[in-house]
Amino acid sequence: MFALIYGASAVSTAQTGPATYRVEGTRLIVSGPADVSSEVTLPCPGTRHIVANELIYVACSEGGIVTISIAEPHQPVVSEVSNLDVKVTEFALVGEEVWYQVEKRELAMFPLRDIATHTRRAPPAEPRPPAIAPVAKAPEPRPEVVEKPVGKVVATAPGFAIIDLGSDHGLDKGSSVEFFTHQKVDLGGEQAVSKEQRLTIGVVDTAGAARSKVELGLNEDVPMNASVRQSDLEPTYRSIVPQRVAQVWEASFIARPFLALGTVGGGAIIDAAVTYRFRSPWALDLVVSPFGFGIAEAGNLSTFAVNLLGSLDTTWFQIGLGGGVSKLARLSQGQDFVPAADGKPAIPLSLSIAQFARLGARDGLNVSVLMNFLLVDDAAGDPEFTFGGLLGSFQAPFSAFGQRGWLIARGGGGLPGHVVGEVGMRILLRGNGLAGSLFLTPTVGGESLTEEHYVEAGSTECPGYFPEPPNNGGPPGREPGFCRVRTSYGGPMIGFGMEWRF
């Protein structure tokens, strides 16, 4: 594709004098009348030329144009050499202007008068109608970023915090607020940055002009002077998985008195525990489950099991293992009558291995189970571990009490001779789940106690042992001894439990 270059020099319509010019290699040869001739050495091999206005323009084969003055037609003189980046392929007269053609893939025009500076201009074009400029679309306004005011915690109480932001700062009852602190992060090289650490999301309970009372989630607290600002996040107190409480002691019990059916009397089955939850995800539990007794015409009963467990304790689950001792309701002696010479056999005790597992948050939705494995004698009198019983529990938040009430259901039993089934409520009476909190647990259900024990020979339960008649033929005598008797009774119960954290 070729481009045409235009110039503004005037072109003479006649040759200058009778001289003629031709280019041969690096020579410009001048011929005149009577074969009078001369020549000029060119700085480059020429390919073509044109004569105009006492000037000769010679195109160089390597690119460029040599300008030669012919003011004296028979004595040409090189006046200028212009270097171009492209080759000139042709000269032409267009009207009164000299044009030259170059090897180009775009159109460009060069006036001959500006050839030394290579000034380029667009070629003349036919007039065109003015273009209609498109109407510029106004940019959409950016939403204004409003910095949320940052306040401080000025007072705290169990389950609440007082902050120095209020309705004047855009807060209202039900607004969510974020509590956070700044933590220094060392980047090395003597460089450090401040990083925000979120503590919790609370909800405004009461808003004044410059202060507000904010309700915190269960088991949550915030330090004095912690930073606070309005938030669009959901308050954490609505979660069914409250965070774990650390560095706190827990003491709990539940007593279940019952009336014995079918006899005159009653009794109770009691569970109790003392727990310490460490700062790291560990806990230590001393558990008494069960401790039971019964007093009735059918006989007095008692049983117990106590275990010490260590647990991996997190917000989402707890797994523990330990051991202890348990009383058995079943006697190991297989025969009914024991001669008095051997003495009254003792009620057997057994070593136990205890396992505990909880899936879910301690103060949220969870399922837990405490299992015992007891070391007892088999039929041959050899010791072996056998399943000794369990106590299972289910807990679910009760929306009618907000974050302060749970529905519970428990049930279980085992070789200690007890069976328990109950449903009830766990209610937070005081505090926020942290140290100083108090829980109440009322339940209803049923339970029973069973025990094997020895009675002396001669009673209704044990008539005694009569040996062979003596050799003198006298009446047979009664020999003292003991018989094994099983006693069992139970009935409806009402439970009452308490739990303290300190």
Side-chain angles (χ1 to χ4, degrees):
M1 185 177 189
F2 297 98
L4 293 179
I5 317 301
Y6 71 91
S9 299
V11 180
S12 83
T13 58
Q15 298 292 340
T16 318
T20 60
Y21 309 93
R22 71 179 185 274
V23 176
E24 296 182 357
T26 58
R27 297 183 304 158
L28 173 67
I29 301 174
V30 182
S31 299
D35 295 329
V36 176
S37 64
S38 63
E39 63 181 49
V40 176
T41 301
L42 301 175
C44 62
T47 58
R48 51 187 45 78
H49 70 283
I50 192 171
V51 179
N53 196 24
E54 297 184 347
L55 294 173
I56 301 176
Y57 301 100
V58 180
C60 292
S61 61
E62 294 87 359
I65 296 176
V66 179
T67 304
I68 301 171
S69 173
I70 52 174
E72 295 291 336
H74 298 284
Q75 296 180 352
V77 177
V78 175
S79 63
E80 185 178 3
V81 178
S82 301
N83 294 322
L84 297 176
D85 295 333
V86 294
K87 294 180 181 181
V88 175
T89 60
E90 191 61 74
F91 288 103
L93 292 173
V94 180
E96 296 183 354
E97 292 189 335
V98 176
W99 290 58
Y100 62 94
Q101 183 175 273
V102 297
E103 288 185 298
K104 273 285 189 177
R105 294 186 177 181
E106 62 180 1
L107 291 175
M109 298 181 184
F110 292 82
L112 285 175
R113 64 177 179 273
D114 296 333
I115 195 169
T117 58
H118 314 299
T119 303
R120 298 187 179 187
R121 297 188 305 196
E126 295 181 0
R128 296 180 179 179
I132 301 176
V135 179
K137 183 179 180 180
E140 296 182 0
R142 295 183 178 181
E144 184 180 356
V145 178
V146 180
E147 291 291 336
K148 298 178 180 179
V150 176
K152 295 289 185 181
V153 175
V154 296
T156 61
F160 293 94
I162 305 300
I163 63 175
D164 59 357
L165 298 177
S167 57
D168 290 347
H169 308 92
L171 296 184
D172 199 359
K173 180 178 176 62
S175 299
S176 295
V177 293
E178 175 186 8
F179 295 88
F180 61 96
T181 58
H182 289 87
Q183 183 181 16
K184 184 178 179 181
V185 179
D186 189 0
L187 302 179
E190 299 182 355
Q191 295 187 20
V193 296
S194 180
K195 178 182 177 182
E196 283 189 9
Q197 182 178 16
R198 181 184 298 163
L199 300 176
T200 186
I201 307 294
V203 62
V204 175
D205 178 78
T206 305
R211 287 195 174 193
S212 297
K213 181 181 179 182
V214 180
E215 182 181 5
L216 303 177
L218 189 67
N219 301 342
E220 295 178 350
D221 64 346
V222 292
M224 287 288 294
N225 296 317
S227 300
V228 61
R229 64 179 166 227
Q230 190 172 4
S231 173
D232 297 327
L233 300 177
E234 191 74 9
T236 52
Y237 81 89
R238 296 176 182 172
S239 171
I240 63 173
V241 188
Q243 66 184 18
R244 172 181 179 266
V245 181
Q247 294 180 289
V248 66
W249 285 93
E250 297 179 8
S252 63
F253 82 91
I254 180 167
R256 309 176 184 93
F258 68 93
L259 291 175
L261 299 179
T263 185
V264 178
I269 296 178
I270 301 171
D271 289 341
V274 176
T275 301
Y276 182 73
R277 302 189 188 277
F278 295 89
R279 182 180 183 87
S280 56
W282 297 98
L284 190 64
D285 298 86
L286 179 63
V287 180
V288 179
S289 178
F291 173 73
F293 65 90
I295 302 173
E297 279 186 333
N300 298 335
L301 310 178
S302 67
T303 189
F304 72 91
V306 56
N307 291 280
L308 181 66
L309 300 92
S311 303
L312 174 63
D313 179 29
T314 71
T315 297
W316 291 91
F317 67 90
Q318 182 178 354
I319 300 176
L321 179 66
V325 64
S326 176
K327 181 181 176 182
L328 296 177
R330 186 183 66 193
L331 299 175
S332 60
Q333 178 64 41
Q335 62 185 23
D336 288 339
F337 182 80
V338 180
D342 294 338
K344 182 178 181 180
I347 301 297
L349 298 179
S350 173
L351 295 178
S352 66
I353 295 178
Q355 294 179 326
F356 177 77
R358 185 197 75 232
L359 180 61
R362 171 69 180 90
D363 295 319
L365 178 67
N366 71 61
V367 177
S368 64
V369 60
L370 174 66
M371 295 184 293
N372 286 325
F373 295 87
L374 304 180
L375 185 63
V376 299
D377 293 337
D378 60 12
D382 298 324
E384 66 176 4
F385 276 103
T386 186
F387 182 69
L390 63 81
L391 177 65
S393 177
F394 171 77
Q395 174 179 285
F398 188 40
S399 59
F401 284 79
Q403 59 177 344
R404 306 180 74 84
W406 302 263
L407 292 172
I408 59 171
R410 297 192 187 108
L415 292 184
H418 69 298
V419 175
V420 174
E422 62 183 344
V423 294
M425 291 287 299
R426 179 170 176 251
I427 303 170
L428 177 58
L429 295 180
R430 184 183 68 199
N432 188 43
L434 304 175
S437 297
L438 177 64
F439 297 81
L440 170 67
T441 305
T443 64
V444 295
E447 60 193 10
S448 69
L449 284 174
T450 300
E451 182 183 88
E452 290 184 350
H453 56 281
Y454 288 102
V455 297
E456 291 188 27
S459 65
T460 304
E461 296 88 352
C462 182
Y465 174 70
F466 297 90
E468 293 295 330
N471 294 331
N472 58 14
R478 183 186 296 272
E479 193 170 302
F482 301 92
C483 291
R484 184 175 63 179
V485 177
R486 173 175 293 183
T487 302
S488 177
Y489 52 84
M493 67 83 178
I494 296 178
F496 175 81
M498 300 290 290
E499 179 186 337
W500 295 268
R501 292 181 178 174
F502 53 93

